[in-house]
Every structure is written in C-alpha cells, then in structure tokens.
Amino acid sequence: MEFLVLSNAQRAKQCEGFFRTPSYWITNLPTSEAKEQSAKTETTFPTHCLYHGAISGLREYGRILELGVVSSQIHIDCFGPIRSDVEKDWFFQRLSETGVRYGGVLEHRDMLKQVAGGRYHWGILFYTQNEENHRLCAPMKLYEFLQFGIPVLVTPNPPLLEVVHRFGCGLVWDRETPEQMAEKILSADWTFFQERARKAYEVLRK
C-alpha cells in the first residue's frame, strides 16, 4: 500500500482527500528553529578565540587565562612577545591549566593569515584601564578582525566601546566574573555578531 508521508496534520487531511491515499504523519521532524539552533551549535562549540599582541599586564592577559580555566568550551590561541621573565614564568605555569595555546611570535603577514583563515569565532582585545596610552588606544587589530567578519571581545576602553556599541559587533567584559563572561560568550548568537562585524568594517573602511 502507498502512503503519503507528511509532517503537518492539516496538510495530511487535505492531501488524503485530494490523492485518495492514506497519509502517514511524522511528528518528530526538526523544525526550522531547531535546524537553525543546530547549525549555531555546530558553528560555535567549542568557541575558538584569537589574541595577538604582547603578553603583558597592560594587555590584561590574566583575563585570557581565566577564560581558559573556567570553560573547556572556549579555546584561545595566543601569539605575541612576552615582555618580562616574571610574566613568562607565570604565564607558562598557568598555561598548562587552561584551554589556552601559545603559538609564539609571528610576522604580521603570517598573523593576518591566521586571522583570515576562517578558524576563529572571536578576536580578543583586552587593555588595561590603569595606563592612559592603553586605555585610549584604538588598535589596528580591531579593524583586521572586523575585515574578516570576526566579532570582538573587548574591555571597556572608550575607543573600543564606541565601535562595539555603535555596530553591535562584539561583547564587552566589564565587571563580569570569568564564569559570567564565559557564559556570555557561549550563549551569544555568534552568526548575528559575525554579520555585524562585516557590516561594521564596510562602514568604517569608507
């Protein structure tokens, strides 16, 4: 016997009458919302983040390590010079306890290949609030991330806040605990932020 296989009860009754064929109604097919959520999950877990810059207290590298400690779903690649032996020893001691990987120092053109490679979901831009030059900096790395559709994770420094708030192209780590920030990252609609990052670059490059 032939059957019509459908996932909608009303449509099933209509088709039965039209085709004069009994229908078999399947109720557990994934909805469009479920498919979108599945695609989002496959895209964002684990979440891959990229930091490139000096490993220095002025760049808040302690926050990077804290994120790597509190969530196994956040993987962070770090590239850049380490400014002092004291920071080097502490950094590598903590590194083994985290989901952070240190890749050494790369030439700028090689670093751009990392940014453009499509592997990363978030770019990290953490800067201290306690030193004016860093508090007010607007690094070129911000625009490099946005150029390749990579939304950013930033500290609340005025130039970074201005771009993130204007375009909605990233998340701000202000007073949240590492656990709260990790949850903020993992629960974010990454595809939305990716699109906002691309649009931000289109506007800013003009």
Side-chain angles (χ1 to χ4, degrees), residues 1-5 21-24:
M1 180 181 291
E2 295 181 348
F3 287 90
L4 299 173
V5 180
T21 304
S23 64
Y24 184 75

Side-chain angles (χ1 to χ4, degrees), residues 37-181:
Q37 181 61 35
S38 175
K40 175 185 171 185
T41 302
E42 291 172 3
T43 302
T44 58
F45 298 108
T47 291
H48 294 280
C49 305
L50 174 63
Y51 171 80
H52 67 99
I55 308 299
S56 161
L58 294 173
R59 304 293 180 85
E60 296 277 7
Y61 74 95
R63 293 189 185 230
I64 296 173
L65 294 173
E66 288 172 344
L67 275 181
V69 168
V70 300
S71 176
S72 62
Q73 294 296 321
I74 298 177
H75 296 180
I76 305 172
D77 288 350
C78 287
F79 298 88
I82 302 177
R83 292 306 190 194
S84 73
D85 289 338
V86 173
E87 287 177 325
K88 180 178 180 179
D89 291 342
W90 191 81
F91 179 73
F92 281 110
Q93 181 181 350
R94 292 290 307 279
L95 205 61
S96 61
E97 307 166 2
T98 73
V100 179
R101 185 183 73 89
Y102 179 61
V105 180
L106 296 181
E107 295 289 338
H108 185 253
R109 62 183 178 183
D110 294 325
M111 195 65 250
L112 281 181
K113 291 179 182 178
Q114 290 283 335
V115 176
R119 180 168 185 260
Y120 296 104
H121 299 104
W122 300 93
I124 294 176
L125 297 167
F126 294 162
Y127 290 87
T128 182
Q129 301 290 303
N130 301 323
E131 195 270 335
E132 202 70 353
N133 183 50
H134 284 77
R135 190 179 76 85
L136 297 177
C137 73
M140 184 59 66
K141 290 187 282 287
L142 169 62
Y143 306 100
E144 291 170 351
F145 285 137
L146 298 180
Q147 178 183 1
F148 295 104
I150 301 176
V152 290
L153 307 174
V154 305
T155 42
N157 303 63
L160 300 176
L161 276 180
E162 181 180 354
V163 173
V164 168
H165 285 169
R166 178 182 174 189
F167 297 102
C169 57
L171 299 173
V172 180
W173 188 350
D174 192 357
R175 298 182 180 182
E176 295 90 348
T177 65
E179 292 81 3
Q180 289 169 336
M181 189 61 194

